[in-house]
Structures are given as C-alpha cells and as structure tokens.
Amino acid sequence: MKNIKLKEIKELFTLIVVVFAIKTCLLEIYVVPTGSMEKTILVGDMLVGNKFIYGMRTPDWIGIPYTDIGFFIPYIQLPKFKNPEVGDVLIFKYPRDKYVKYVKRCVAGPGDTILIENKQVYL
C-alpha cells in the first residue's frame, strides 16, 4: 500500500514537471487582452502560441508567479527556424506590464518605413 502511494506521488510529480516544461519551452495558451485586432481576433479569445518557431528563450526570472518575489537569471536564446514576416501574428511581453502578453500582427520588416494616417497604415 505504501509502495503504491509513493509510486502515485512520483507519477504526479513527473506529470507536473512535464506540463511545466511544455508550457515553458514549446506551447502556451494566451488570452487576447486588447481589442486592437477586433476584425480577426476578439478580446478574451484564447490562442495557442508556439514559442519554438521564432527562437525559444529560456526563462529569465525565477520566483513565485504573479508576485515580485524572485530574481532575474541569465537566459539563452535558442536558434530560430523562421524570422517574423509581414502578416504574422506575434505574442510578446508588454514592456510596461510584465504580466500582460500582447497579441499583434507584424505590419513591416527591417528597413521598411511606416506611415500611419487616419488609422490607415502605409508602407
């Protein structure tokens, strides 16, 4: 009986480690926080983001989630399989709020000049 309980605890721990590894390294579910892409993606929609395609990064902070208790660590950027192209939907950390992930569409690439006039984007 004791041996079965220990085995179940080990299996549960292994499952938790695997789930966190997948969330950290490969895929993550994001909720759209703003209505800036309302014609295609609505506020509150859930997206599955692929962290691997544009060059996954190891975590840069270790601590208690949703608190400021923790510390920053050096991170490593892994090789990317593709560069972002015009029209791709990108998910990134909002610089002013580290808990919010923004979902935006790429409208230009390196070297492009952008003009925004009357809510129209011109390249």
Side-chain angles (χ1 to χ4, degrees):
M1 183 72 168
K2 184 178 177 185
N3 199 13
I4 293 172
K5 291 281 187 191
L6 186 61
K7 182 179 177 187
E8 288 178 358
I9 291 172
K10 284 181 183 178
E11 289 174 354
L12 181 62
F13 180 75
T14 304
L15 178 66
I16 291 170
V17 168
V18 168
V19 167
F20 278 121
I22 289 172
K23 181 189 180 306
T24 303
C25 300
L26 300 176
L27 301 171
E28 189 166 349
I29 295 175
Y30 298 97
V31 177
V32 178
T34 65
S36 64
M37 294 181 62
E38 270 188 354
K39 293 180 182 175
T40 54
I41 302 172
L42 299 175
V43 175
D45 281 355
M46 296 178 96
L47 304 174
V48 176
N50 178 351
K51 293 182 169 190
F52 204 67
I53 195 85
Y54 296 127
M56 184 185 73
R57 229 174 68 157
T58 59
D60 60 353
W61 186 80
I62 293 178
I64 302 171
Y66 305 108
T67 69
D68 290 333
I69 302 169
F71 55 92
F72 288 95
I73 58 172
Y75 66 88
I76 298 169
Q77 176 94 25
L78 298 176
K80 54 187 158 189
F81 292 98
K82 140 181 192 187
N83 287 322
E85 297 173 1
V86 174
D88 287 353
V89 175
L90 305 172
I91 302 169
F92 58 93
K93 289 181 188 177
Y94 182 59
R96 294 186 185 158
D97 186 353
K98 59 188 169 192
Y99 303 118
V100 176
K101 301 283 195 281
Y102 264 33
V103 178
K104 302 293 178 189
R105 187 173 306 279
C106 182
V107 295
D112 291 344
T113 303
I114 300 174
L115 172 66
I116 301 174
E117 195 172 90
N118 296 328
K119 298 186 179 182
Q120 290 290 323
V121 179
Y122 300 98
L123 283 178

